[in-house]
């Protein structure tokens, strides 16, 4: 019994030593402690937090807020960062540690100050963007970009700010005549924050872009919204404009009258004046001249009672245009003289004209139109006085277009008076102005292309900024999801894979959008180039024809000159009607060609005969051809081949059906040939390039690029002796 008691006493004496030995054994082997640091209020992981074990080292948390450190049970972790109060944690076991920290009050104050600074930057940049809207588009867009950079995704008002910024950006594009960009940015604004006023602006941009059906849909949707009186006026006006664009004139009149009725009740004189003008225009389209005149008179009388001389001048000018169409020249002249007085008054106070200012509200334009009205009544002395004044005003303001028109009209008036010398001098001045106008137009086209590229680059920058913001948000969401699924590695890997796939899709989409934008830009540039070349073709052709008229006048053959001018005016009317189109039916081109060849034969009857033969199998209405495509080749054949031939030559033009989708056009002359024609050129002629042939080559190259090899041209000598020329064109039917 005593032995058992002794053994028990020895056990209790050794027990503390055994426990301390086990504890020492445990402390001798450090453990790998894992943990995370999160905000207590939001459970968001905190990156870059320092986790320290006294005397054993320090680690920092990663993007997921995780850390890993070697320590023993009983060691104290010290968790520090500027964003929260320092936390101390004693390790109890080897399990994962989740530390929740409180926000530091000092840090909250710092965050509030930073938020106020961001708000101030946002307001300043938005205000600066609006102030620069009418001065410098690029600078204004730069301010919008700077304001967008201050918007944080966790800001409760982020969507409202984006809606406001993209509305301002769209306003910039709308003012600077970029309605397609304006429309897309109004849509972005509406997706972030709906606004009735913004949707009205969207409809206006669609009207500006001539997208009448889309505008009609937009304004119809707006009718279902809660609207004030001003908004109802704008919506009914927009519906009227949309129906007018769609040529539904009765619906246009109905909506204009609704807008007019509300405007009259509210005393909105400016809207009443504008709507009266629009109603007059629609009624005139319907053939109701009496009704149109009544509305125009209303708008003129109301505008005359206002102090705004610009509005009065505009309405008088619109009414004068109406009377001009109806050949009421006396009324037209009276209104234009009154408009001139208004223009002189408001020009004294207007330092700079807005971009969208009506170009007809200038003294030079009104003087020119008054002169035209006098000329139509054969009051030539009065017409000459106003034309000289128009030229003088246009020259002082560097308005080459009006200066050119006034010089040409002056030549015509002098010719009608029988003062041929003065007419010749006026036409010579007209030719000099035409050359200056070519240079100016080239510069304007270049500036427009540069401006369009700059706006596109700015728009792309904003798009990239939004994409980066979306990408950063996606990364953050991925990080947060990964933290929540820290122990599920397979799911984390799947999220990474999905993210990479999404990123690839975004990059591919961005590449596609960039490619599409570049393609659209190239297409727009080609259209600009075609318009420029077409604008050069008509003056070149007119100049050559006027030379022919000049020859008849110089030889005192007035009867022949009059006959020639009669045919020439028919041709010019047809040419000008088709000048804005890329393609016209083959039938119209053949009519133009017949008339042109008839004119050339009229002058050179002793030099050549001609035939124009059209294969009866060809359906001339099914084929489309660029206007004035064949005329330069015929002109070359007459002026450089047949004109110099000693005996009478032959010009043959054949239209032959090759396949069901292709025809062949041949222009054959038995003139002196290309080689001998070059030998006959003077030194000055050799230095000059043929503008007509050069332009036609450029047009064909651009059109083939845009419409996939629609036209092929081959020029060969007719005979081995190099006499005569054959031009063969292959025209393909539209697919």
């Amino acid at each position: 019994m005593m032995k058992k008691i002794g053994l028990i006493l020895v056990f209790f004496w050794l027990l503390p030593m055994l426990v301390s030995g086990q504890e020492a054994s445990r402390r001798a082997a450090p453990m790998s402690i894992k943990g995370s640091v999160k905000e207590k209020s939001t459970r968001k992981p905190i990156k870059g937090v320092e986790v320290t074990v006294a005397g054993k080292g320090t680690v920092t948390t990663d993007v997921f807020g995780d850390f890993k450190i070697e320590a023993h049970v009983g060691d104290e972790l010290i968790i520090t960062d500027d964003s929260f109060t320092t936390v101390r944690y004693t390790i109890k076991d080897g399990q994962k540690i989740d530390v929740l920290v409180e926000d530091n009050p000092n840090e909250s104050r710092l965050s509030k100050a930073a938020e106020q600074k961001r708000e101030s930057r946002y307001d300043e940049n938005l205000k600066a963007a609006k102030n620069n809207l009418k001065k410098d588009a690029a600078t204004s867009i730069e301010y919008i970009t700077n304001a967008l950079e201050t918007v944080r995704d966790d800001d409760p008002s982020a969507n409202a700010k984006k809606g406001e910024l993209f509305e301002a950006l769209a306003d910039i594009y709308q003012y600077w005549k970029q309605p397609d960009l304006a429309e897309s940015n109004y849509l972005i604004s509406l997706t972030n924050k709906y606004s009735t006023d913004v949707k009205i602006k969207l409809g206006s941009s669609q009207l500006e872009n001539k997208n009448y059906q889309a505008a009609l849909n937009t304004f119809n949707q707006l009718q279902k919204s809660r609207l004030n009186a001003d908004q109802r006026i704008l919506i009914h006006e927009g519906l009227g404009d949309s129906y007018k664009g769609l040529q539904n004139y009765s619906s246009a009149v109905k909506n204009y009258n609704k807008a007019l009725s509300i405007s009259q009740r509210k005393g909105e004189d400016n809207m009443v004046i504008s709507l009266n003008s629009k109603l007059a225009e629609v009624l005139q389209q319907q053939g109701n001249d009496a009704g149109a005149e009544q509305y125009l008179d209303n708008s003129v009388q109301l505008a005359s009672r206002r102090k705004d001389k610009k509005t009065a001048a505009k309405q008088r000018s619109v009414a004068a245009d109406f009377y001009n169409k109806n050949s009421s020249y006396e009324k037209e002249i009276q209104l234009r003289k009154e408009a001139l007085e208004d223009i002189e008054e408001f020009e004294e106070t207007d330092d700079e004209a807005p971009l969208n200012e009506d170009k007809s509200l200038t003294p030079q334009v009104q003087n020119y139109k008054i002169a035209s009205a006098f000329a139509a009544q054969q009051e030539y002395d009065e017409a000459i006085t106003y034309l000289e004044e128009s030229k003088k005003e246009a020259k002082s303001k560097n308005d080459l277009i009006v200066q050119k028109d006034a010089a040409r009209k002056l030549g015509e008036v002098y010719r009608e008076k029988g003062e041929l010398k003065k007419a010749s001098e006026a036409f010579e001045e007209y030719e000099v102005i035409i050359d200056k106008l070519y240079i100016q137009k080239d510069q304007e086209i270049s500036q427009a292309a540069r401006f369009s590229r700059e706006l596109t680059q700015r728009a792309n920058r904003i798009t990239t900024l939004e994409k980066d913001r979306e990408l950063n948000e996606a990364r953050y969401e991925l990080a947060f999801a990964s933290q929540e699924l820290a122990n599920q590695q397979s799911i984390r890997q799947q999220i990474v894979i999905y993210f990479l796939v999404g990123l690839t899709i975004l990059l591919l989409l961005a590449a596609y959008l960039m490619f599409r934008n570049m393609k659209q830009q190239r297409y727009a540039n080609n259209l600009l180039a075609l318009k420029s070349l077409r604008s050069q073709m008509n003056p070149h052709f007119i100049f050559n024809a006027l030379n022919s008229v000049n020859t008849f006048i110089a030889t005192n053959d007035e009867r022949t000159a009059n006959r020639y001018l009669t045919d020439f005016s028919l041709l010019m009317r047809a040419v000008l009607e088709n000048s804005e189109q890329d393609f016209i039916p083959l039938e119209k081109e053949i009519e133009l060609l017949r008339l042109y060849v008839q004119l050339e034969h009229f002058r050179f009857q002793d030099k050549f005969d001609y035939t124009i033969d059209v294969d009866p199998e060809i359906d001339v209405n099914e084929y489309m051809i660029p206007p004035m495509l064949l005329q330069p080749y015929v002109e070359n054949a007459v002026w450089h081949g047949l004109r110099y031939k000693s005996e009478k030559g032959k010009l043959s033009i054949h239209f032959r059906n090759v396949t069901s989708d292709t025809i062949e056009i041949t222009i054959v002359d038995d003139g002196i040939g290309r080689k001998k024609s070059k030998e006959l050129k003077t030194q000055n002629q050799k230095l000059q390039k043929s503008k007509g042939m050069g332009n036609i080559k450029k047009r064909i190259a651009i059109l083939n690029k845009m419409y996939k090899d629609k036209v092929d041209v081959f020029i060969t000598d007719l005979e081995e002796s190099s006499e005569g020329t054959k031009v063969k064109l292959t025209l393909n039917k539209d697919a």
Side-chain angles (χ1 to χ4, degrees):
M1 183 68 179
M2 291 297 294
K3 187 177 180 180
K4 290 183 179 179
I5 293 172
L7 290 173
I8 292 171
L9 290 173
V10 171
F11 172 76
F12 281 109
W13 176 67
L14 292 175
L15 182 62
M17 297 177 61
L18 290 171
V19 172
S20 62
Q22 290 175 355
E23 181 68 21
S25 175
R26 282 199 298 271
R27 291 183 63 83
M31 296 179 293
S32 181
I33 304 297
K34 296 181 179 179
S36 66
V37 181
K38 303 176 184 177
E39 292 180 0
K40 186 174 183 180
S41 58
T42 63
R43 293 298 196 273
K44 289 184 178 179
I46 306 175
K47 177 186 175 184
V49 176
E50 290 186 354
V51 180
T52 303
V53 177
K56 295 182 180 179
T58 300
V59 296
T60 57
T61 57
D62 59 18
V63 68
F64 306 113
D66 291 343
F67 67 87
K68 182 178 179 182
I69 192 168
E70 299 293 322
H72 297 89
V73 173
D75 285 345
E76 186 178 55
L77 299 181
I78 303 172
I79 302 159
T80 59
D81 191 76
D82 292 338
S83 64
F84 56 81
T85 305
T86 299
V87 175
R88 295 177 180 270
Y89 183 88
T90 301
I91 299 173
K92 299 183 178 69
D93 51 38
Q95 298 296 319
K96 183 178 178 181
I97 301 168
D98 287 321
V99 181
L100 302 178
V101 298
E102 300 280 357
D103 293 341
N104 188 338
N106 293 328
E107 178 67 18
S108 297
R109 285 195 293 273
L110 290 172
S111 297
K112 185 174 288 186
E115 182 64 30
Q116 289 174 348
K117 187 176 180 180
R118 276 196 301 272
E119 288 290 333
S120 177
R121 281 181 56 210
Y122 171 85
D123 293 336
E124 289 171 2
N125 281 288
L126 180 58
K127 184 178 179 181
K130 291 179 178 179
N131 289 339
N132 282 275
L133 186 150
K134 297 182 180 180
K135 300 174 185 175
D136 187 341
T139 301
S140 192
I141 293 172
E142 188 67 28
Y143 281 121
I144 293 289
T145 307
N146 294 339
L148 192 59
E149 288 173 345
T150 68
V151 180
R152 293 179 53 177
D153 291 321
D154 57 355
D155 185 348
S157 61
N159 286 339
K161 288 179 178 178
K162 288 181 185 178
E164 189 176 29
L165 287 172
F166 281 102
E167 178 190 359
L169 182 61
D171 290 342
I172 296 168
Y173 289 131
Q174 183 75 351
Y175 180 81
W176 289 95
K177 298 292 187 180
Q178 303 289 323
D180 51 339
L181 291 173
E183 181 179 349
S184 61
N185 281 282
Y186 282 134
L187 286 169
I188 295 172
S189 174
L190 288 167
T191 58
N192 283 282
K193 179 187 176 184
Y194 181 82
S195 165
T196 300
D197 290 333
V198 174
K199 193 154 187 177
I200 291 172
K201 290 181 180 180
L202 170 64
S204 298
S205 67
Q206 290 166 335
L207 285 173
E208 188 74 20
N209 209 22
K210 294 186 171 35
N211 193 353
Y212 299 117
Q213 188 58 54
L216 182 63
N217 294 338
T218 299
F219 287 118
N220 275 326
Q221 291 168 10
L222 279 163
Q223 290 193 92
K224 302 173 185 175
S225 307
R226 283 178 169 270
L227 305 170
N228 58 40
D230 291 332
Q231 290 169 338
R232 285 201 302 274
I233 292 171
L234 292 174
I235 289 168
H236 284 301
E237 182 187 24
L239 286 167
D241 292 340
S242 303
Y243 281 121
K244 185 178 77 171
L246 295 169
Q247 297 183 356
N248 186 345
Y249 297 125
S250 58
S251 296
V253 169
K254 179 181 177 182
N255 280 281
Y256 283 147
N257 276 318
K258 287 182 179 178
L260 181 60
S261 176
I262 301 170
S263 300
Q264 288 170 335
R265 286 201 305 271
K266 283 185 59 60
E268 296 285 349
D269 288 347
N270 283 335
M271 286 301 301
V272 171
I273 293 168
S274 174
L275 289 164
N276 270 290
S277 293
K278 290 185 176 183
L279 279 162
E281 184 180 352
V282 174
L283 289 173
Q284 190 177 13
Q285 291 286 340
Q286 291 179 306
N288 185 356
D289 289 344
E293 184 174 357
Q294 181 62 48
Y295 279 111
L296 279 174
D297 287 343
N298 291 342
S299 67
V300 171
Q301 290 173 13
L302 184 56
S304 301
R305 291 197 295 268
R306 293 173 55 81
K307 293 181 180 179
D308 184 359
K309 295 297 181 181
K310 189 178 292 187
T311 302
K314 181 178 179 181
Q315 294 310 312
R316 287 190 170 105
S317 179
V318 170
D321 290 338
F322 170 80
Y323 287 122
N324 175 273
K325 290 178 183 177
N326 291 334
S327 300
S328 300
Y329 299 118
E330 293 296 335
K331 290 184 179 180
E332 178 194 0
I333 291 168
Q334 179 61 35
L335 283 168
R336 293 203 191 281
K337 286 180 178 179
E338 293 171 1
L340 265 175
E341 294 175 3
D342 294 332
I343 291 168
E344 288 172 2
E345 285 192 41
F346 76 70
E347 277 193 340
E348 292 176 0
T349 57
D350 265 13
D351 294 330
E352 59 178 87
L355 182 71
N356 301 323
E357 185 62 83
D358 189 348
K359 305 299 183 191
S360 68
L361 296 182
T362 58
Q364 60 267 29
V365 171
Q366 294 303 320
N367 277 309
Y368 173 79
K369 290 185 176 181
I370 290 171
S372 298
F374 276 122
Q377 298 178 97
Q378 298 183 353
E379 297 180 26
Y380 298 126
D381 291 333
E382 291 286 344
I384 290 169
T385 301
Y386 280 97
L387 284 171
E388 291 289 357
E389 184 64 24
S390 176
K391 267 186 13 178
K392 177 182 173 183
E393 288 281 353
K395 187 175 182 180
S396 69
K397 296 174 182 175
N398 197 29
D399 189 345
L400 289 177
I401 293 176
V402 176
Q403 197 177 350
K404 172 215 33 150
D405 291 340
R408 176 185 53 77
K409 190 70 176 178
L410 197 58
E412 292 174 357
V413 171
Y414 276 127
R415 187 178 59 207
E416 291 296 326
K417 265 191 86 176
E419 298 182 21
L420 300 183
K421 183 178 179 181
K422 290 184 178 181
S424 178
E425 291 172 356
F427 283 126
E428 287 175 4
E429 183 182 2
Y430 167 75
E431 292 171 13
V432 172
I433 298 170
I434 281 288
D435 291 336
K436 292 180 182 178
L437 190 58
Y438 282 154
I439 296 170
Q440 187 185 74
K441 286 297 180 184
D442 285 341
Q443 291 173 346
E444 288 176 358
I445 289 170
S446 176
Q447 289 172 357
R450 241 188 345 262
F451 180 71
S452 180
R453 283 197 302 272
E454 186 173 359
L455 288 188
T456 302
Q457 288 170 357
R458 302 277 178 175
N460 287 341
R461 182 180 171 189
I462 291 177
T463 302
T464 303
L465 186 64
E466 280 300 288
K467 291 292 180 185
D468 288 343
R469 190 192 304 280
E470 292 173 7
L471 192 59
N472 289 334
E473 187 177 353
R475 285 173 177 163
Y476 173 76
E477 290 174 355
L478 176 62
F480 188 74
S482 298
Q483 169 59 26
E484 293 296 321
L485 301 172
N487 296 323
Q488 302 179 29
Q489 188 65 28
S490 60
I491 296 177
R492 185 180 286 183
Q493 290 175 349
Q494 289 178 16
I495 292 175
V496 172
I497 292 170
Y498 291 150
F499 170 71
L500 291 175
V501 170
L503 179 59
T504 303
I505 292 171
L506 281 175
L507 291 173
L508 290 173
L509 179 61
Y512 167 73
L513 291 174
M514 288 178 65
F515 170 77
R516 190 179 68 176
N517 286 340
M518 289 172 63
K519 187 175 179 181
Q520 289 175 344
Q521 186 65 40
R522 284 198 299 270
Y523 184 77
N525 289 341
N526 283 335
L527 288 179
L528 280 173
L530 280 176
K531 186 171 288 188
S532 174
L533 291 171
R534 285 201 301 268
S535 70
Q536 294 175 31
M537 283 296 296
N538 290 340
H540 169 74
F541 167 68
I542 294 168
F543 175 78
N544 287 341
L546 286 175
N547 276 340
S548 298
V549 178
N550 194 38
T551 300
F552 289 130
I553 293 173
T555 57
N556 293 321
D557 191 353
E558 292 185 4
R559 178 175 296 179
T560 305
N562 285 334
R563 288 176 57 195
Y564 188 94
L565 277 174
T566 301
D567 290 342
F568 173 69
S569 65
L570 292 174
L571 177 60
M572 281 313 303
R573 179 184 293 274
V575 169
L576 292 175
E577 286 177 352
N578 300 321
S579 62
E580 288 300 315
Q581 302 182 42
D582 289 340
F583 290 93
I584 62 172
L586 180 60
E587 182 181 22
K588 284 191 177 181
E589 180 71 1
I590 293 172
E591 290 174 4
L592 284 172
L593 194 62
R594 289 185 191 277
L595 195 50
Y596 172 75
V597 175
Q598 180 180 330
L599 285 171
E600 293 291 19
H601 184 256
F602 189 73
R603 182 178 173 190
F604 300 112
Q605 294 183 20
D606 59 333
K607 289 295 183 180
F608 72 98
D609 288 324
Y610 70 93
T611 59
I612 300 176
D613 181 41
V614 181
D615 189 341
E617 293 182 6
I618 299 174
D619 188 344
V620 291
N621 288 315
E622 287 187 359
Y623 287 86
M624 303 298 289
I625 187 169
M628 296 290 286
L629 179 69
L630 303 177
Q631 180 270 335
Y633 295 111
V634 176
E635 179 183 346
N636 241 31
V638 174
W639 283 74
H640 300 292
L642 296 167
R643 185 169 63 138
Y644 296 108
K645 191 171 182 180
S646 56
E647 65 271 18
K648 199 169 189 178
K650 175 73 173 179
L651 173 66
S652 300
I653 304 171
H654 295 282
F655 294 80
R656 186 171 65 87
N657 197 36
V658 178
T659 67
S660 59
D661 296 322
T662 306
I663 63 171
E664 183 183 274
I665 306 168
T666 56
I667 302 170
V668 180
D669 72 87
D670 60 356
I672 61 174
R674 292 182 294 173
K675 182 178 179 182
K676 193 168 182 181
S677 176
K678 288 180 181 178
E679 293 173 357
L680 290 175
K681 281 187 177 181
T682 65
Q683 190 64 29
N684 183 53
Q685 287 174 330
K686 290 179 180 178
L687 292 175
Q688 296 178 345
K689 293 183 178 179
S690 171
K691 186 170 288 291
M693 294 304 294
N695 285 353
I696 208 70
K697 288 179 182 177
K698 292 177 185 176
R699 286 180 70 199
I700 288 173
I702 294 172
L703 288 167
N704 282 339
K705 189 182 296 184
M706 293 173 66
Y707 299 100
K708 297 182 180 179
D709 299 326
K710 185 174 179 63
V711 180
D712 289 322
V713 181
F714 305 93
I715 303 176
T716 58
D717 292 324
L718 190 60
E719 299 176 2
E720 294 182 358
S721 62
S722 299
E723 291 189 357
T725 307
K726 179 178 181 180
V727 179
K728 182 170 74 174
L729 295 93
T730 303
L731 178 66
N732 296 314
K733 188 186 293 184
D734 291 336

